[in-house]
Amino acid sequence: MGYNWNWGVFLQPAASGGDTYLGWMFHGFKTTIALSLSAWLIALAVGAVVGVLRTVPNKWLSGLATAYVEIFRNIPLLVQLFLWYFVMPELLPESLGNAFKQSNPFMQQFLSSMICLALFTSARVAEQVRSGINSLPRGQKNAALAMGFTLPQTYRYVLLPMAVRLIVPPLTSEFLNIFKNSAVCSTIGLLELAAQGRQLVDYTAQPYESFIAVTLAYLVINVVVMFSMRWLESRTRVPGYIGGK
Amino acid sequence: MITMNKVSKHYGAFQVLTDCSTQVHKGEVIVVCGPSGSGKSTLIKVVNGLEPFQSGEIIVNGVSVGDPKTNLSKLRSTVGMVFQNFELFPHMSIIDNLAIAQVKVLGRTQEVARDKGFKLLDRVGLRAQAEKYPGQLSGGQQQRVAIARALAMDPICMLFDEPTSALDPEMVNEVLDVMTELAREGMTMMCVTHEMGFAKRVASRVIFMDQGRIVEDDSKEAFFENPRSERAQQFLAKILHH
């Protein structure tokens, strides 16, 4: 194979912007992190609320929550992204839509990507939250209610603290997924990590170096996520409980 | 203190309770027994509104349980309940299990609540376990904590739903001892239990249920010496023979 390895390519000045190619990569890396973390925080908040609503004894609320989950987890992520980026601005009130279209392109891409990833992931988080709550013994809810807790207090002090502990491992997968899924956002032109990798190939004709670097960067993110979630799991372990020490 | 008047409940077509009427006066200890599926647990769960019912009326300390305007949380905070599977909150230490509802429901300060918790733990002989977690205690210890947790709310009466059924035989007595002491101190109690020894020692009355109906509701002497219904005779013959 006549491939010319050239790891020095990363230190060469990039074609534009007065930066090195490594700088481009690092910029994409930062965008991926910012996008995924902000989307993850929204997904956790929305997913927790929707997941709880799926378990409440009210047909309307739980029905609404079920519809939410089914919509966001059954439409392909890529289609959702196109809907948020291309269709949503047209559906907004005209002044708001125009303001969006006149904002800087990076902002448009970033916002659409963040909302898309957040809501897609929130449906999956909601399912984990629901299954966590449902896996608790039924008597826990009764015991809390019998002591005079209201239903919101029962969730706040009794059901959720245990349910959240139980779902840390599956939530870790969702957290990892959101970083990997963020690569889809390169399709609307957002220059995140994967897009910078591609751009590097176009400019330097060094695909191996470029994608090895991209792969390593994703690997670093995921290892950090995995270890921090593992740390969280051991920190919140309940003494004497099944799976505890 | 507790009045039930023609209470009926069904899940779909399945009748769980049919026209159940009884009264529990202050200081009485009522033992509810009967074969499995006879509606015993449901009978005491309707008292604090954990199970809804379709017809009839239940009055607890002057408050109607079935009335949609009733603040059920407030009513429940005055009625202690102990469950078959203890249902301590596993993520909280023992003392926090005792304190949390006092703080969040009754509005006591953390300090007052913990003080009261420690006193009650002393009373059930578990002061030394206060900082442990439920999963680190035996079943009998957990159930004693559960009783202390209910008492921490200063309940006007206590409901027990088969409190010893999930325990190893050697732990049954430590729980029954706590319950006996409570009964002797004059606590109003409704206990679903198969512990006929306990019933003979402390019950004021025994309610025998079969197929969702209250078949017998009599003093313990009358119930154990000459049960009127054939069903209760059969039940006692089986349960007292081993």
Side-chain angles (χ1 to χ4, degrees):
Chain A
M1 194 174 69
Y3 186 77
N4 288 321
W5 289 93
N6 177 14
W7 289 102
V9 69
F10 290 110
L11 298 176
Q12 287 169 16
S16 66
D19 206 347
T20 58
Y21 286 115
L22 187 66
W24 277 16
M25 278 286 185
F26 188 61
H27 193 76
F29 183 76
K30 283 192 296 190
T31 304
T32 290
I33 302 247
L35 171 65
S36 304
L37 281 185
S38 54
W40 177 243
L41 291 180
I42 300 171
L44 277 184
V46 176
V49 172
V50 175
V52 164
L53 288 183
R54 285 205 74 179
T55 65
V56 297
N58 177 315
K59 263 188 220 156
W60 288 102
L61 287 178
S62 65
L64 211 64
T66 306
Y68 178 93
V69 168
E70 295 309 337
I71 287 172
F72 283 103
R73 73 172 181 176
N74 285 323
I75 300 175
L77 180 58
L78 187 60
V79 175
Q80 290 192 34
L81 183 64
F82 289 168
L83 288 174
W84 284 110
Y85 186 62
F86 296 114
V87 180
M88 200 57 198
E90 307 299 329
L91 300 179
L92 290 172
E94 211 176 321
S95 58
L96 207 63
N98 283 338
F100 178 82
K101 284 181 249 174
Q102 282 154 15
S103 64
N104 93 45
F106 174 78
M107 216 48 211
Q108 294 181 34
Q109 294 154 355
F110 191 89
L111 276 181
S112 306
S113 301
M114 183 181 80
I115 295 174
C116 170
L117 279 178
L119 299 192
F120 177 78
T121 308
S122 73
R124 305 175 57 94
V125 170
E127 278 304 272
Q128 307 293 357
V129 169
R130 177 179 75 102
S131 73
I133 292 170
N134 286 344
S135 70
L136 299 174
R138 256 186 68 91
Q140 288 279 301
K141 183 177 162 193
N142 275 346
L145 291 175
M147 291 169 76
F149 283 126
T150 59
L151 193 64
Q153 283 180 321
T154 298
Y155 275 94
R156 163 77 181 78
Y157 298 116
V158 177
L159 301 180
L160 283 175
M162 272 320 284
V164 166
R165 283 176 169 87
L166 292 177
I167 61 171
V168 170
L171 276 187
T172 306
S173 309
E174 295 306 332
F175 199 3
L176 294 172
N177 276 340
I178 207 167
F179 286 100
K180 292 182 277 179
N181 287 339
S182 69
V184 167
C185 303
S186 61
T187 56
I188 58 167
L190 183 71
L191 284 175
E192 41 67 72
L193 187 53
Q196 291 288 13
R198 265 200 71 93
Q199 192 168 236
L200 223 69
V201 179
D202 293 340
Y203 281 86
T204 66
Q206 298 288 352
Y208 287 174
E209 292 85 343
S210 161
F211 281 112
I212 287 172
V214 167
T215 305
L216 287 178
Y218 278 115
L219 204 67
V220 165
I221 294 175
N222 285 352
V223 167
V224 170
V225 167
M226 237 166 55
F227 277 100
S228 41
M229 291 298 271
R230 221 175 266 175
W231 173 82
L232 181 73
E233 198 183 340
S234 66
R235 269 299 301 272
T236 57
R237 189 163 287 167
V238 173
Y241 198 73
I242 306 155
K245 33 184 166 176
Chain B
M1 176 147 312
I2 302 171
T3 307
M4 302 178 108
N5 192 8
K6 289 193 177 301
V7 173
S8 297
K9 173 183 175 62
H10 55 81
Y11 294 111
F14 182 65
Q15 194 75 24
V16 196
L17 295 177
T18 311
D19 288 341
C20 292
S21 300
T22 190
Q23 286 206 348
V24 183
H25 302 286
K26 193 167 170 22
E28 273 191 320
V29 177
I30 310 295
V31 165
V32 183
C33 61
S36 62
S38 59
K40 316 178 289 278
S41 285
T42 311
L43 186 76
I44 70 163
K45 280 186 183 143
V46 293
V47 171
N48 63 355
L50 279 185
E51 293 275 0
F53 53 96
Q54 282 84 18
S55 68
E57 187 184 45
I58 303 175
I59 309 285
V60 177
N61 204 28
V63 180
S64 169
V65 177
D67 186 341
K69 280 182 296 222
T70 296
N71 181 344
L72 269 183
S73 298
K74 195 167 173 214
L75 173 79
R76 285 170 182 147
S77 70
T78 64
V79 178
M81 188 155 193
V82 175
F83 297 84
Q84 183 173 359
N85 293 312
F86 332 132
E87 305 301 352
L88 297 178
F89 307 137
H91 58 291
M92 292 179 205
S93 67
I94 299 302
I95 186 65
D96 286 342
N97 262 279
L98 270 75
I100 182 147
Q102 295 185 64
V103 175
K104 303 295 178 191
V105 177
L106 301 181
R108 292 177 182 160
T109 65
Q110 187 73 25
E111 203 183 7
V112 170
R114 285 174 70 93
D115 258 11
K116 175 144 192 120
F118 284 130
K119 277 191 193 118
L120 284 162
L121 284 178
D122 243 340
R123 186 167 155 188
V124 296
L126 293 169
R127 178 70 171 77
Q129 321 290 334
E131 303 297 339
K132 289 196 179 165
Y133 283 77
Q136 297 169 313
L137 303 190
S138 72
Q141 289 175 323
Q142 288 191 54
Q143 194 62 299
R144 280 146 64 200
V145 171
I147 295 173
R149 180 174 73 171
L151 291 175
M153 304 293 284
D154 295 316
I156 54 167
C157 63
M158 291 276 287
L159 306 173
F160 291 85
D161 185 8
E162 305 207 29
T164 58
S165 301
L167 294 176
D168 288 341
E170 57 194 297
M171 293 173 183
V172 169
N173 280 331
E174 60 185 85
V175 171
L176 288 181
D177 287 346
V178 172
M179 291 171 63
T180 304
E181 201 188 304
L182 207 55
R184 297 240 157 96
E185 286 167 13
M187 177 59 81
T188 311
M189 297 162 60
M190 259 182 112
C191 316
V192 174
T193 182
H194 297 296
E195 298 295 334
M196 289 302 125
F198 172 77
K200 281 182 179 167
R201 270 203 310 281
V202 299
S204 331
R205 283 193 351 253
V206 177
I207 288 177
F208 178 78
M209 294 192 66
D210 188 33
Q211 296 181 344
R213 288 174 191 276
I214 294 183
V215 181
E216 310 237 354
D217 182 354
D218 223 333
S219 71
K220 65 177 169 192
E221 293 80 10
F223 178 74
F224 285 114
E225 280 150 33
N226 45 33
R228 282 166 303 174
S229 67
E230 201 179 315
R231 193 66 191 83
Q233 287 164 14
Q234 289 167 355
F235 178 79
L236 282 174
K238 273 182 203 151
I239 206 164
L240 294 178
H241 268 182
H242 56 76

